[in-house]
Amino acid sequence: MTWLSVPRDWIASFGDIAKFCAKVMGSVYSLRVFRFFGEALRQAGILILGSALVIWGLAFILGLQCGIEGAYFNRSVGAPAYAGVFSAWCDLREIMPYAFGYMMSAKVGTGLVAEIGAMRISDEIDALEVMGINSLIYLCSTRLLAAWMVLPFMYIAAVGAGFFASYLAVVQQIGEVSSGGFFLIFWMFQNPPDLIYSVIKAMTMATVIVLVGCYYGYNASGGPVGVGTATAKSMVLNIVLVHLIGMLGTQIFWGANPRAPIGG
C-alpha cells in the first residue's frame, strides 16, 4: 500500500543513519581517527573561528530575554527578589541547550552537508578512496573528534554569556533587586551537577547534529539539487532530534527531582 511506503522509508533511513553513525563513532573510539589528527585540528579551528561568536551572541540575547521575562514575572506575583530563580533555571537547563542545538543545526550541520555533499558530487571523495585514504574517517570522524574537542568549552562559555546577560537585565536594567540579592537566589537554585547535566544535553545534541550532517553530505547524490535537498532534510531531522533530546534530557535529569530548595 502506498500509505505504508513513507513510514517504511523512514525506518530504512533510520537504519542507514544508525549504521553510518556507528562506523563514524567506532573510528573515533578505536583511535583510528588519530591518523588524521591534523585534519581534526583544522576542523576544530574552523569551528572556533566560524561559529563561536555566533553561538555566544545568540546565548547573550536569549540570556537577556530570560532575565527580563523572569524579572517582570516575579514582579507580577509579588516576589521580585526571586528573579534569580527564573534566570538560573531558564538559562542553564533549557534555553542554552536549545539555543546551542538550533545554532549548531542551522550553521554547523547544514555547512557539513553542503561541504561534504559538494565533495561527493564532484568526485573528490572517490579520489580520496583511489589514493588509499579512508574517506569516512578523513571527512566524518575528524569532524566528530573536532566537535568533541571544542564544543564543550564553547558551550560553557555560552552559558556564562547567558548568565551575564541575565544579570545585566535584572540588576542593571530593571533594577528591582540588588546584585547581592540576585546572586544569593541565583546560586541557591543551581549546583555543579546541573551544569554537568546541561553540558551532557548540549553535547548529545551537537554529536547527533554533526553525525546527521556528515551522513547526508557523505551520501548526497543528484548534483547541486541533490545537495540542496540533503541540506534541507538534515536541517529538519536535526531540529526534531534537538527537541527530542531536550525533552528527554529534562525528564531524565530533572523530571523526578528538580532539586529546588523550596519548602520544608
Side-chain angles (χ1 to χ4, degrees), residues 172-196:
Q172 303 298 329
Q173 180 185 351
I174 298 171
E176 288 223 12
V177 60
S178 68
S179 178
F182 173 80
F183 282 121
L184 173 68
I185 303 299
F186 181 78
W187 294 117
M188 190 183 293
F189 280 80
Q190 60 179 296
N191 51 32
D194 286 341
L195 177 61
I196 294 171

Side-chain angles (χ1 to χ4, degrees), residues 26 44 59 74 78 96 139 148 170 173 175-176 200 217 240 243:
N74 281 276
M96 288 308 134
L139 296 176
W148 286 351
V170 175
Q173 180 185 351
E176 288 223 12
I200 291 172
V240 172
H243 286 101

Side-chain angles (χ1 to χ4, degrees), residues 116-136 138-139 217-221:
I116 300 174
M119 295 179 72
R120 169 62 75 187
I121 65 172
S122 60
D123 298 326
E124 291 179 44
I125 294 179
D126 295 330
L128 284 174
E129 296 287 350
V130 167
M131 290 188 291
I133 296 172
N134 188 320
S135 60
L136 189 74
Y138 184 78
L139 296 176
Y218 193 80
N219 294 286
S221 60

Side-chain angles (χ1 to χ4, degrees), residues 1-7:
M1 291 184 181
T2 54
W3 59 275
L4 281 175
S5 62
V6 173

